Amino acid sequence: MSTSSTQSPIRNRRVDSLQSNGKLSREGSYTHKRIITQNDAYLYALRVAYLAYLLQPRARRTQHVSVPQAPVQRSSTSINDLMKDFSLVRDSKSTRFPNGFMAELERRLTGVLMGKEKRPEYNDAAVKRSFAAFFNAFSEPSFRKRMEKDRRVEDLVLIFFSNATKELQKGKSPGDDGWKLLVDRHLALFIRLVSLVLKDHDWVRDRPELSGRLATLETKLLSNDQNLSSTPARNGTGGSTTSEVVVPLSYDVKDMPLVQVVGRIFGVRNGVMQTDINKYKAVWTEEAALQDLKTYQTHLNLNTKKTLGIDDFDLDEAYDQWKKGEIQDISQMILAIIQSNPELAKSTTNHLPQFNPQLSNGHGPDSPHFDTLRRTDRKEASSYVIDQPIDMASYHSGCATLNSPYLDDDDTFTFLPSDTRGSYRVILAQAMTSDLNDEKMLPADPENGTPAVKVLSKQSTELLNEIGLRWRMPPVSRMVLFLDVIREKFVDREISLDTLDAAFNFIKEPLSMKGKGSALVFPPLHDREKWPLADTALYQRILTTLHMALLRDLFETLQRCYEQKPPSAAPLVYILENHIYDDPGFSETSEKLDEYCGQLREGLKNKAYDMYRELLTKGVPSDQHTWEFNHVINLGKAVFSLAQRIQKRYRKNPEILGVNPLTALVETILPLYAQDAKGIVERVLILSKQKNEEIPVEDGFVLYSELVEIRRIHGEVLPNVPFAFHIEGLLADFVWRWIKMTEASITDWVDQAIRQDNFSVRSEKGQIPTEDQRHSVSVIDIFSSFNQTIDRIVQLNWDDDLHYAKFMTALAKVVGAGVARYCEVVEQKFTKEMDRLPPEQEAAKNKSTQDKWISMAKDAWSNKEKIEPFQFYPESFVKLNNIDFAAKQLDRLEHEVDVDVCAAVIQKNAPPVTQRQKKVTNYVFTIKIVEAEDLKACDVSGYSDPYVVLGDEYQKRLAKTRIIYRNLNPRWDETVDITTQGPLNIVATVWDWDAMGDHDCVGRASLKLDPSHFGDFLPREYWLDLDTQGRILLRVSMEGERDDIQFYFGKAFRTLKRTERDMTRQVTDKLSAYINHCLSRRTLRSLLSKGMNLSNISNNLSSVSSYFNRIRPSQNIQQPPSEAEITNALKPLFAYFDDNFAIMNQTLTNSSMIMVMTRLWKEVLSTIESLLVPPLSDKLSQQRQLSQQEMDIVFKWLQYLFEFFHAVDEETGEANGVPLDVLRSPKYFDVTSLNFFYFDTTESLIRTSERMASATAARQQTQRNRLSAPPSLSSPAFGGAAGLSGLPAAARRSKSIMLSRNLGTMKKAKEEKWKEAQAEPNDDMILRILRMRPEAERYLKDRSRQKERLAAAAAAEMIVRQSLLAGGGRMMGNLPKR
């Protein structure tokens, strides 16, 4: 029947009718139904077990008898008759030998001939002779090739029969026929050997028909069951011999294995069972069993209600198939009974059933039920042995007709109960109960050495198999009833989940995986359209009932899932998914499952709520006044621990039937915890304020960490549900308190680190320190403190970007204050070490004033000019290394904090300008004390030793410069920052340093710092006239102090760089005196005076004649000095540098060393520049212009010094000194450019100056016009550093705090400054040359006034432009009114 026919309306109608009526078709077919008692079930089980005893193969024993020689009788008339079964199925593949069989048979035959065969019947000499004769024929290539191709049994048997006949006939008289019986026996031994080969290689399973036919042939050959190993029998002689005789039945219960099983199952003693058997022995006979089969066969043929009918199946095809198989199985069972008791055949018919080859297509040896009916192992308690398919068509003598008396009686059968299904179920339930309660019983079918879960014991399984087959229970019905009993016991909680799982696996295993003698044989589950309708309906009810029971248990199990050690739900889910939901017979609507999942989810939430209330009661006291943060923390830890435990528990399978226990938990407890935590924290904070007590900051931090972790879990599980409150907003005050405490302690941290530092390198004594060892521990300690301070905030993982940016801004201010304090203290110590007196001056301090004057007069008279190298302390250089290391660490810290991102976050969240609250603004004035000129001489030598002190109007010192010795036109180039909130008057006082007595005042000047005058934030230069003589140049710029992280880092960087620059300048100042001494005009005159060396210059200058010779114009042209003389003039300076560099190199780091050398190079350039031209001014200078020879010498000196500072290794060519880009600074190019203009005429220089001034003015006007364009046409935005790009170079703020916020911005600003200096040449050097030309006095004044007007106009224009673009000025709005 086709697949489509299986879904016909007939099936649906039958199934619907069955389900609507609630009746089982087969059960309804019985006319008299009654309740099955235990005794009824016991008696029917007992009679089946007793029948199995009657039908089991008889035991045999060996018996010695004396028999006269009798004529030999053959078991069959001819070999052709014996081979009839094989010839009829000649083309069947199932009767052919398997591939590889011939090689195995040859190996076994060789073992027989060599005496290696273990079976005793093959050790006889005659047997070996017959086998040897066959082996010779078997070994022939042609026969072997034919056998390998055809593999037919009859060919092999006939060849053996032929060769054995020839061999055994040798030496026998013509009338002696005894050898003929021996041929049959030897052929039987050969057949047995062939069967053993098949069995040893497990070929019997694939060819059961071949094995059965070979066994039948062997039985036919062995007439009268003679022993094959009997010598007389083998020889065919008379006399004493042995034979196997059948042992008679004892009818003792102890010899009945299945009867023993029945007694154990029903709890009946052997004596009672023996009595019952003796009572019914005359009724429970083989004949009655045979009659039952005939009666059942009759009902089957007549389609009565005593058997299954066509209405009991959904498909007609299924019924036909069942009936066909049933007829064949009944025939086999009848034959088995007749073979067990041949006398029954005599009483019934003279014709035994014959072979029907057509049966092999139905339920022959290849049928899955054949192995159930036929037992291959005779050692098992088998009821019947069937050797071949049979045809019962000719067996009519015992068949009943329609008028048979067997059809009229209710007790139709002897061994079959009226209700086979009910009786079988009772016995099955009783057997299962007994086996489950008996610990000694082994489970059925342990496979692969692993014991199975006990459902039924092996003995009970054998009994149930026997009953099912005797009662003609379909395997499907037996399977469904087995599962129904399992269902009942599981619902009653008599078996575990493992047993239920084992039961399902038991019925699902393929037939080939089960033992055939001791296991219940169930059909495959997928062929369900062929099941009886009653079994289909019952199976569906079983699944439905089990599903409800499993869901009940699952609900109860999951209600305990939040406990410490809950029961596992995995077995329940496994059975539901693998045995219930995957079964096509299960039909449950999705709506019901969804309803159950909803109930399960609500149940879990209720349990989660109970768990939380339990944690809350346990962790938080009821008295609010005793609440602490620890209560929230501990409650959070308990909640987190519970959630973590549930997450770990259900990590592999987070959902159970679509319900997630973790989700149900956190959906319930996390919102509850969040609300309670908010309430507790707020209450604790209120109580602490009322008590005027501060909660420890660390408690707030720990609380934040716990709350954030809970919020993280909340976000992962409930992504669409916001947390109950903003944790950061509630606890931000703790961070601000911690920052304030840090700010209050930062100065103490720095001071303590400095006090504990001896400022020595960190190398072992006697070892050369590495680069990393040349700074001391104080700078490491303070930056370790800075990093720990910032890391403490970072480790909080503060989840509010604006808060975090503000925290970092405040910490940047703290770090800046710490850096400033460190620079201040270290610079003070450094200055003290650098300002110490030389040993001879220290000794002179104890002399009287008269002695000091005498000593000074002697030094002047002897013209003592030798300058010794300054004895630097290693500690001083370590301090300089510390400042350099601090700058690098601060730059690293700036990148780790990500300053730009923090500033962008604050800027993004800043309120509009109109909504910002006005607050007092601090202004930072940067004052650079540049230079002074034409100072008053305060010393007897005609010079002064000037330094400048800045103070406010209240005489408070604000800053102090270094001392410039013996100079009336000093240049300091020192910068100081002054912070103010409003206008401030400063006083610049120039003092003359004196070694003895008080310092003399050279002059004073004042300047008012008014923020309103610097609204454009551009630098300005002020020449302030002193109240005595001369003037001083101050360069002033201003910027508003901002609460900005970039500003604080920039301020800290600038503090470090200024400290580093000032300390470096103090080092170079110790060397600058000798630089000025060697690179002086006096040295030039010495070189130009032939025959005069540097040592007698002072003597010649002191003599009158030499004086007049010096001032008299020279008439004769002197020869210029040689290269060696020019070089020798610098040797003392080079030696002086080498001595000092050797001292520095022992302690300074490479970067600090380069920095000191760079500063010295600037001193060299300044000294050479001062030799060539005077400083820039609008007044004439008294300095004389050098001659051409002097000019050449100076530039050769410059070249030698350039090479000295570059320090190229002659062997490797590697530069070890100052890099070329540093040596070739704008100052260097300015000095070298003097070659082009130095000796030009005054008129030419003035024209060149005017041309440069015009070009500069035009360039500035072009830039101003570009800045005046609409904003859409101008790439940079106005305001800030980018908007000032069009201003003159002198007006740009190249060193503002914002441009100094890290090493990268400082380096970039420096590069841009150099590029601007090279791209915008000016006429400053020309104006300085013109100062030595008296005829240019008027031009100098005019040019100075012109520059001032241009600068003022540019500044005014910029102020107006910024005011217009900013709507009145963003920065001007905060300036105080005048």
Side-chain angles (χ1 to χ4, degrees):
M1 186 176 291
S2 64
T3 305
S4 60
S5 64
T6 62
Q7 306 295 333
S8 64
I10 297 177
R11 177 188 176 185
N12 297 334
R13 183 174 64 252
R14 290 176 182 175
V15 174
D16 294 341
S17 175
L18 177 65
Q19 294 178 347
S20 61
N21 295 332
K23 297 180 181 179
L24 299 179
S25 176
R26 184 178 177 183
E27 292 181 357
S29 65
Y30 296 116
T31 57
H32 301 287
K33 287 192 62 177
R34 62 188 182 188
I35 298 175
I36 301 171
T37 64
Q38 289 285 336
N39 187 61
D40 293 342
Y42 156 72
L43 288 176
Y44 275 104
L46 182 63
R47 67 186 70 183
V48 172
Y50 174 69
L51 179 61
Y53 172 73
L54 295 178
L55 298 180
Q56 69 180 354
R58 302 292 191 270
R60 298 174 184 272
R61 66 169 177 261
T62 303
Q63 179 177 325
H64 292 271
V65 294
S66 297
V67 294
Q69 184 171 357
V72 178
Q73 295 182 356
R74 292 292 302 271
S75 58
S76 64
T77 56
S78 68
I79 189 64
N80 293 328
D81 294 335
L82 295 176
M83 298 303 299
K84 186 177 180 180
D85 290 344
F86 292 96
S87 61
L88 291 177
V89 287
R90 184 179 184 90
D91 296 331
S92 176
K93 293 183 179 180
S94 61
T95 59
R96 293 186 180 184
F97 291 119
N99 290 323
F101 172 79
M102 297 304 167
E104 295 298 328
L105 178 63
E106 182 181 5
R107 184 180 63 81
R108 199 67 176 263
L109 289 172
T110 303
V112 171
L113 296 178
M114 297 181 65
K116 295 182 180 180
E117 182 62 43
K118 297 180 179 180
R119 293 180 173 267
E121 58 265 28
Y122 293 99
N123 293 329
D124 184 70
V127 173
K128 291 183 179 180
R129 282 175 32 225
S130 299
F131 274 66
F134 167 74
F135 190 76
N136 292 332
F138 180 76
S139 302
E140 292 182 3
S142 58
F143 175 75
R144 183 66 176 271
K145 183 176 180 181
R146 187 173 70 254
M147 287 303 302
E148 292 286 352
K149 178 180 179 182
D150 297 336
R151 294 181 281 121
R152 292 184 299 190
V153 179
E154 56 267 30
D155 295 344
L156 201 63
V157 172
L158 290 175
I159 290 298
F160 185 91
F161 179 80
S162 176
N163 285 275
T165 300
K166 292 179 183 179
E167 183 64 29
L168 294 176
Q169 193 177 10
K170 292 179 181 180
K172 303 296 181 180
S173 61
D176 187 4
D177 293 335
W179 60 272
K180 295 183 179 180
L181 181 60
L182 199 60
V183 171
D184 293 345
R185 292 171 180 168
H186 289 190
L187 181 58
L189 282 175
F190 176 72
I191 297 298
R192 179 175 294 183
L193 187 68
V194 171
S195 299
L196 290 173
V197 172
L198 292 173
K199 184 177 181 180
D200 291 345
H201 292 81
D202 202 21
W203 286 324
V204 177
R205 179 185 302 177
D206 298 331
R207 285 171 170 76
E209 184 177 356
L210 174 62
S211 178
R213 296 182 192 280
L214 289 175
T216 302
L217 180 59
E218 180 184 345
T219 303
K220 291 180 180 180
L221 289 170
L222 296 176
S223 63
N224 299 323
D225 295 329
Q226 297 183 21
N227 189 355
L228 292 176
S229 61
S230 174
T231 303
R234 288 193 305 269
N235 297 330
T237 60
S240 177
T241 184
T242 59
S243 64
E244 289 185 351
V245 297
V246 177
V247 178
L249 298 176
S250 65
Y251 296 99
D252 189 350
V253 172
K254 296 180 180 179
D255 297 333
M256 305 176 185
L258 291 185
V259 173
Q260 296 283 342
V261 176
V262 174
R264 177 180 60 80
I265 290 175
F266 287 94
V268 181
R269 295 190 300 272
N270 289 346
V272 177
M273 291 189 296
Q274 188 69 59
T275 302
D276 293 336
I277 290 174
N278 293 337
K279 180 180 179 180
Y280 297 104
K281 181 188 300 185
V283 180
W284 297 348
T285 62
E286 298 98 320
E287 184 178 3
L290 181 62
Q291 189 60 49
D292 280 356
L293 291 175
K294 291 188 292 183
T295 303
Y296 181 84
Q297 189 178 41
T298 301
H299 285 287
L300 181 65
N301 292 330
L302 297 177
N303 196 19
T304 67
K305 293 186 179 300
K306 292 293 183 179
T307 64
L308 292 176
I310 192 170
D311 292 336
D312 294 314
F313 289 89
D314 187 21
L315 301 176
D316 295 343
E317 179 188 5
Y319 171 74
D320 294 340
Q321 184 177 354
W322 170 82
K323 184 176 181 180
K324 183 177 181 181
E326 197 76 359
I327 292 174
Q328 296 171 3
D329 291 346
I330 293 299
S331 301
Q332 296 284 347
M333 294 174 67
I334 291 174
L335 180 60
I337 295 176
I338 293 175
Q339 287 183 343
S340 175
N341 189 354
E343 295 298 329
L344 295 176
K346 297 177 181 180
S347 63
T348 56
T349 183
N350 294 327
H351 301 281
L352 291 175
Q354 298 298 318
F355 171 75
N356 188 350
Q358 294 180 356
L359 296 180
S360 61
N361 298 329
H363 281 56
D366 292 334
S367 172
H369 300 291
F370 179 77
D371 286 326
T372 305
L373 302 174
R374 177 183 177 275
R375 307 301 173 91
T376 59
D377 191 352
R378 297 191 179 186
K379 293 183 181 181
E380 300 290 340
S382 177
S383 302
Y384 23 77
V385 179
I386 302 173
D387 295 323
Q388 60 184 352
I390 60 173
D391 185 7
M392 299 296 295
S394 62
Y395 187 65
H396 301 291
S397 60
C399 296
T401 63
L402 290 175
N403 298 322
S404 174
Y406 294 115
L407 303 180
D408 300 332
D409 193 1
D410 182 55
D411 296 332
T412 306
F413 303 101
T414 302
F415 292 93
L416 277 70
S418 59
D419 185 3
T420 55
R421 289 175 63 91
S423 300
Y424 182 85
R425 190 187 185 285
V426 172
I427 298 172
L428 175 61
Q430 189 67 26
M432 192 175 297
T433 302
S434 176
D435 290 344
L436 291 174
N437 295 330
D438 191 351
E439 298 180 355
K440 297 181 180 180
M441 290 292 102
L442 295 177
D445 278 355
E447 297 183 5
N448 300 326
T450 303
V453 178
K454 184 169 70 173
V455 179
L456 287 173
S457 65
K458 182 178 180 181
Q459 296 83 355
S460 299
T461 303
E462 292 175 355
L463 175 63
L464 292 171
N465 273 338
E466 195 70 30
I467 293 173
L469 292 172
R470 182 59 54 189
W471 292 356
R472 304 313 306 147
M473 292 285 298
V476 173
S477 300
R478 293 156 60 189
M479 177 199 72
V480 173
L481 291 174
F482 168 79
L483 198 60
D484 188 43
V485 174
I486 289 292
R487 183 268 313 161
E488 180 183 13
K489 292 191 175 296
F490 178 75
V491 171
D492 295 339
R493 301 184 185 276
E494 296 181 17
I495 60 174
S496 63
L497 286 171
D498 292 337
T499 306
L500 179 61
D501 178 53
F504 272 108
N505 292 330
F506 192 64
I507 66 174
K508 289 181 178 180
E509 290 178 359
L511 182 64
S512 61
M513 297 297 292
K514 297 180 179 289
K516 297 179 177 59
S518 61
L520 292 174
V521 182
F522 296 145
L525 296 178
H526 62 271
D527 205 13
R528 299 188 182 186
E529 66 274 4
K530 297 181 180 180
W531 286 13
L533 295 176
D535 293 329
T536 302
L538 179 58
Y539 186 74
Q540 292 177 352
R541 290 199 299 270
I542 291 171
L543 293 179
T544 302
T545 306
L546 284 176
H547 179 245
M548 295 176 61
L550 289 169
L551 291 183
R552 175 201 63 199
D553 293 348
L554 180 63
F555 187 90
E556 296 175 355
T557 300
L558 288 181
Q559 291 300 295
R560 301 175 56 191
C561 69
Y562 300 136
E563 298 178 2
Q564 286 288 343
K565 295 182 179 179
S568 175
L572 288 165
V573 176
Y574 175 82
I575 293 176
L576 283 170
E577 292 180 350
N578 291 275
H579 298 319
I580 304 298
Y581 296 145
D582 287 350
D583 198 299
F586 176 75
S587 59
E588 187 74 24
T589 61
S590 59
E591 291 79 7
K592 291 184 178 180
L593 289 177
D594 293 340
E595 181 181 358
Y596 171 80
C597 291
Q599 296 174 355
L600 179 60
R601 190 177 294 106
E602 288 301 319
L604 289 176
K605 289 184 177 181
N606 293 334
K607 283 295 180 181
Y609 178 81
D610 295 339
M611 287 293 297
Y612 176 75
R613 300 309 302 177
E614 180 180 346
L615 295 176
L616 182 65
T617 304
K618 183 179 179 180
V620 180
S622 57
D623 187 6
Q624 297 183 4
H625 293 83
T626 61
W627 284 354
E628 297 178 354
F629 282 176
N630 283 335
H631 295 139
V632 180
I633 294 172
N634 293 334
L635 180 61
K637 288 181 178 179
V639 170
F640 176 74
S641 177
L642 176 61
Q644 195 174 37
R645 186 170 72 246
I646 300 303
Q647 185 182 32
K648 183 178 180 181
R649 182 176 297 165
Y650 297 100
R651 180 177 61 253
K652 294 182 179 179
N653 299 300
E655 290 190 354
I656 300 175
L657 299 183
V659 179
N660 192 322
L662 178 62
T663 302
L665 176 71
V666 297
E667 283 180 351
T668 304
I669 66 174
L670 289 187
L672 293 173
Y673 172 78
Q675 292 292 342
D676 291 339
K678 178 184 178 183
I680 295 175
V681 171
E682 290 177 345
R683 185 59 181 168
V684 170
L685 293 176
I686 292 173
L687 290 175
S688 65
K689 290 182 179 179
Q690 292 176 355
K691 297 178 182 179
N692 199 20
E693 297 177 354
E694 283 192 348
I695 302 173
V697 173
E698 196 62 30
D699 290 352
F701 288 172
V702 174
L703 175 63
Y704 177 77
S705 300
E706 293 297 330
L707 291 177
V708 166
E709 186 63 22
I710 294 294
R711 185 175 61 186
R712 180 189 64 81
I713 299 177
H714 184 282
E716 290 179 355
V717 183
L718 306 173
N720 299 323
V721 179
F723 200 67
F725 66 101
H726 189 223
I727 303 174
E728 287 73 17
L730 193 61
L731 301 178
D733 185 60
F734 288 93
V735 182
W736 288 117
R737 282 174 50 199
W738 184 79
I739 293 175
K740 290 179 180 178
M741 291 189 299
T742 303
E743 184 177 10
S745 305
I746 193 69
T747 302
D748 294 337
W749 293 355
V750 174
D751 293 343
Q752 185 177 0
I754 293 175
R755 282 195 300 268
Q756 295 177 356
D757 192 4
N758 56 6
F759 293 97
S760 60
V761 295
R762 293 176 293 111
S763 62
E764 298 293 334
K765 189 174 182 180
Q767 294 184 356
I768 299 176
T770 62
E771 285 288 312
D772 294 335
Q773 295 175 338
R774 298 196 175 201
H775 50 268
S776 61
V777 296
S778 61
V779 68
I780 298 176
D781 291 342
I782 65 168
F783 272 94
S784 177
S785 300
F786 294 159
N787 286 318
Q788 291 175 5
T789 301
I790 293 176
D791 287 343
R792 189 67 186 91
I793 302 298
V794 174
Q795 291 171 1
L796 289 176
N797 294 320
W798 200 264
D799 196 14
D800 189 301
D801 293 341
L802 181 58
H803 283 181
Y804 180 80
K806 290 182 177 180
F807 294 156
M808 290 296 108
T809 301
L811 287 178
K813 183 178 181 181
V814 174
V815 170
V819 169
R821 177 61 181 172
Y822 185 77
C823 291
E824 178 186 358
V825 177
V826 169
E827 187 175 11
Q828 289 176 359
K829 290 180 174 291
F830 183 85
T831 301
K832 185 177 180 180
E833 294 167 357
M834 300 301 294
D835 289 346
R836 72 183 189 278
L837 297 175
E840 59 273 11
Q841 293 184 10
E842 190 67 31
K845 288 177 60 177
N846 299 325
K847 295 180 180 180
S848 62
T849 303
Q850 184 178 0
D851 293 338
K852 294 178 181 179
W853 282 108
I854 294 174
S855 178
M856 292 177 61
K858 289 182 178 178
D859 293 340
W861 179 258
S862 61
N863 200 14
K864 183 178 181 181
E865 296 179 357
K866 182 178 180 181
I867 301 176
E868 298 292 337
F870 184 78
Q871 297 298 322
F872 294 102
Y873 288 161
E875 294 83 354
S876 302
F877 292 142
V878 171
K879 293 181 178 67
L880 184 58
N881 293 338
N882 285 357
I883 300 300
D884 180 62
F885 178 78
K888 295 177 181 177
Q889 291 298 308
L890 187 64
D891 184 69
R892 178 181 177 184
L893 188 64
E894 191 262 354
H895 284 85
E896 291 177 353
V897 171
D898 209 346
V899 169
D900 295 337
V901 173
C902 292
V905 170
I906 294 177
Q907 181 65 28
K908 179 180 178 181
N909 293 275
V913 179
T914 56
Q915 298 180 8
R916 297 178 187 174
Q917 296 180 356
K918 294 185 178 181
K919 58 181 180 179
V920 179
T921 304
N922 292 333
Y923 300 97
V924 180
F925 283 95
T926 301
I927 302 175
K928 183 174 185 179
I929 306 171
V930 183
E931 61 180 336
E933 64 179 27
D934 198 19
L935 296 180
K936 180 179 68 174
C938 297
D939 295 338
V940 294
S941 60
Y943 293 98
S944 293
D945 302 320
Y947 66 93
V948 181
V949 174
L950 290 182
D952 60 8
E953 51 190 321
Y954 304 105
Q955 299 183 356
K956 177 183 177 181
R957 176 180 288 191
L958 302 177
K960 175 181 174 295
T961 68
R962 71 188 190 282
I963 303 170
I964 305 295
Y965 296 97
R966 295 174 57 82
N967 202 322
L968 298 180
N969 298 292
R971 188 176 184 90
W972 292 279
D973 286 328
E974 294 189 24
T975 306
V976 62
D977 287 340
I978 298 175
T979 303
T980 180
Q981 296 181 356
L984 176 67
N985 291 319
I986 62 170
V987 178
T989 306
V990 182
W991 296 88
D992 171 54
W993 179 85
D994 287 330
M996 297 175 297
D998 297 332
H999 299 183
D1000 301 324
C1001 180
V1002 178
R1004 290 184 176 87
S1006 63
L1007 176 66
K1008 183 178 182 180
L1009 301 178
D1010 192 345
S1012 62
H1013 296 166
F1014 293 84
D1016 56 352
F1017 295 93
L1018 298 177
R1020 287 168 171 74
E1021 291 185 352
Y1022 296 94
W1023 278 103
L1024 303 178
D1025 294 327
L1026 301 179
D1027 56 358
T1028 55
Q1029 175 184 333
R1031 58 181 182 171
I1032 184 172
L1033 176 61
L1034 300 181
R1035 184 173 295 134
V1036 183
S1037 62
M1038 184 198 76
E1039 57 185 318
E1041 188 173 76
R1042 300 158 54 182
D1043 187 19
D1044 183 89
I1045 188 171
Q1046 294 176 330
F1047 178 84
Y1048 291 131
F1049 267 99
K1051 189 174 181 180
F1053 269 111
R1054 193 162 72 170
T1055 301
L1056 283 170
K1057 283 301 177 182
R1058 283 182 179 175
T1059 303
E1060 184 180 56
R1061 184 171 61 249
D1062 293 343
M1063 292 171 67
T1064 304
R1065 181 181 288 122
Q1066 292 186 59
V1067 173
T1068 57
D1069 284 348
K1070 298 300 179 183
L1071 309 179
S1072 60
Y1074 198 68
I1075 294 174
N1076 294 328
H1077 172 76
C1078 295
L1079 302 178
S1080 62
R1081 291 182 174 245
R1082 181 169 49 189
T1083 306
L1084 286 174
R1085 289 194 297 269
S1086 176
L1087 283 173
L1088 294 175
S1089 300
K1090 293 184 177 181
M1092 301 175 63
N1093 53 31
L1094 191 60
S1095 61
N1096 59 15
I1097 288 179
S1098 59
N1099 296 329
N1100 292 334
L1101 292 177
S1102 62
S1103 63
V1104 177
S1105 59
S1106 297
Y1107 173 75
F1108 285 105
N1109 290 332
R1110 179 174 59 85
I1111 65 175
R1112 183 185 304 122
S1114 177
Q1115 299 297 328
N1116 299 322
I1117 300 176
Q1118 297 181 355
Q1119 294 295 327
S1122 63
E1123 290 288 338
E1125 292 174 341
I1126 297 174
T1127 305
N1128 290 336
L1130 292 181
K1131 281 185 176 180
L1133 180 60
F1134 291 156
Y1136 183 74
F1137 282 157
D1138 290 337
D1139 293 341
N1140 285 278
F1141 288 169
I1143 298 173
M1144 298 176 188
N1145 199 38
Q1146 295 177 359
T1147 309
L1148 284 178
T1149 61
N1150 184 57
S1151 58
S1152 298
M1153 188 69 186
I1154 296 297
M1155 182 172 56
V1156 171
M1157 293 179 67
T1158 302
R1159 181 62 194 175
L1160 281 175
W1161 172 246
K1162 291 181 179 179
E1163 291 290 338
V1164 168
L1165 290 177
S1166 297
T1167 303
I1168 292 179
E1169 185 184 43
S1170 64
L1171 281 175
L1172 297 173
V1173 291
L1176 184 63
S1177 177
D1178 58 349
K1179 298 180 181 179
L1180 292 176
S1181 173
Q1182 300 298 323
Q1183 183 173 334
R1184 179 182 60 85
Q1185 187 171 344
L1186 297 180
S1187 64
Q1188 184 65 52
Q1189 287 184 348
E1190 291 173 333
M1191 186 76 165
D1192 294 340
I1193 293 173
V1194 169
F1195 275 96
K1196 287 182 180 180
W1197 284 350
L1198 180 61
Q1199 181 62 30
Y1200 295 152
L1201 288 167
F1202 184 93
E1203 295 174 355
F1204 176 82
F1205 278 91
H1206 192 41
V1208 177
D1209 193 331
E1210 295 181 357
E1211 296 181 357
T1212 62
E1214 182 181 357
N1216 299 317
V1218 182
L1220 283 177
D1221 58 341
V1222 177
L1223 292 174
R1224 293 171 178 169
S1225 62
K1227 174 75 72 176
Y1228 174 79
F1229 286 107
D1230 287 343
V1231 172
T1232 55
S1233 66
L1234 288 173
N1235 258 329
F1236 300 100
F1237 308 107
Y1238 200 74
F1239 296 105
D1240 279 0
T1241 62
T1242 302
E1243 292 78 4
S1244 177
L1245 291 176
I1246 291 175
R1247 285 195 300 272
T1248 303
S1249 175
E1250 290 175 343
R1251 187 167 56 252
M1252 288 184 176
S1254 300
T1256 301
R1259 183 168 55 254
Q1260 292 176 358
Q1261 184 61 40
T1262 302
Q1263 292 174 348
R1264 286 197 296 270
N1265 293 337
R1266 185 170 66 250
L1267 289 174
S1268 301
S1272 59
L1273 301 178
S1274 178
S1275 57
F1278 290 106
L1284 302 178
S1285 59
L1287 293 178
R1292 293 177 194 158
R1293 301 173 58 222
S1294 61
K1295 293 185 179 180
S1296 67
I1297 291 178
M1298 297 303 294
L1299 293 179
S1300 304
R1301 61 181 181 271
N1302 57 44
L1303 295 180
T1305 57
M1306 296 171 70
K1307 182 178 180 181
K1308 184 178 180 180
K1310 188 174 182 179
E1311 292 176 352
E1312 291 179 353
K1313 179 182 177 182
W1314 284 21
K1315 290 179 180 179
E1316 290 173 358
Q1318 295 176 3
E1320 298 182 4
N1322 55 63
D1323 60 341
D1324 288 349
M1325 298 305 293
I1326 295 177
L1327 294 176
R1328 295 174 68 175
I1329 297 174
L1330 291 175
R1331 285 193 64 195
M1332 296 183 291
R1333 310 284 179 91
E1335 59 273 20
E1337 180 178 5
R1338 182 179 181 85
Y1339 178 76
L1340 289 173
K1341 292 181 179 181
D1342 294 341
R1343 183 72 177 93
S1344 177
R1345 285 193 295 267
Q1346 179 186 10
K1347 292 175 66 175
E1348 291 177 357
R1349 287 195 303 269
L1350 290 175
E1357 185 178 358
M1358 181 59 67
I1359 292 174
V1360 173
R1361 184 180 299 112
Q1362 288 184 342
S1363 299
L1364 293 175
L1365 292 175
R1370 176 177 60 85
M1371 304 300 295
M1372 291 294 292
N1374 294 330
L1375 295 176
K1377 297 181 179 179
R1378 299 182 59 183

